[in-house]
Amino acid sequence: MSDEVIKFLLKFKQITASGGIDLVPRSDTIATLNYLGYTKKNLEEILMGLSVTDYCRGPLPDKGRPGELWEFGKNIDGYEVYIKLKVVEAGSASIAKCISFHISTHPLKYPYKGSLQE
């Protein structure tokens, strides 16, 4: 399973490096970015730094939409931040989407934290 996570992260990061991230402007995401004093560029740096040990769940079906959702978590400035990502295929192009980025409302589970060498 960790191979699938690695494959997703590599694809997501490749798309981000060439075309940036499509940030879904949800109110909780915007509020978290503002609270942490982060810009979209800071967000991209955090997402580019994600690893298998930050993985929580996925791939999960995206209700009513094509594609799969992947959930990650990251400790940022002392807060556990929930991150939901997706790669969208749009014709011949691929788009890296950040669906959610907000301070977690419940503890996240990290199946590979401590079990893999980074």
Side-chain angles (χ1 to χ4, degrees):
M1 179 62 198
S2 65
D3 290 348
E4 275 187 76
V5 179
I6 292 166
K7 196 171 152 190
F8 170 78
L9 283 171
L10 286 173
K11 183 173 186 177
F12 187 89
K13 290 176 183 184
Q14 255 181 336
I15 296 164
T16 300
S18 63
I21 289 175
D22 181 14
L23 176 62
V24 176
R26 291 187 169 163
S27 59
D28 52 353
T29 296
I30 302 302
T32 297
L33 289 173
N34 288 337
Y35 181 75
L36 295 172
Y38 280 28
T39 64
K40 188 176 175 192
K41 180 158 177 45
N42 299 129
L43 172 68
E44 285 187 15
E45 289 167 3
I46 290 165
L47 299 182
M48 291 296 277
L50 288 175
S51 71
V52 173
T53 57
D54 300 314
Y55 167 83
C56 294
R57 294 191 325 155
L60 303 166
D62 190 356
K63 298 176 198 117
R65 294 189 170 94
E68 300 170 323
L69 299 171
W70 293 77
E71 297 176 352
F72 295 85
K74 192 88 178 154
N75 188 305
I76 301 169
D77 296 343
Y79 297 97
E80 186 175 45
V81 176
Y82 168 81
I83 302 166
K84 189 187 300 180
L85 305 175
K86 179 178 186 176
V87 170
V88 177
E89 305 300 332
S92 61
S94 296
I95 302 164
K97 280 189 162 263
C98 179
I99 309 292
S100 292
F101 181 91
H102 60 82
I103 295 169
S104 182
T105 55
H106 58 277
L108 300 173
K109 293 189 173 99
Y110 302 91
Y112 301 119
K113 206 163 241 168
S115 65
L116 295 176
Q117 305 234 333
E118 287 206 53

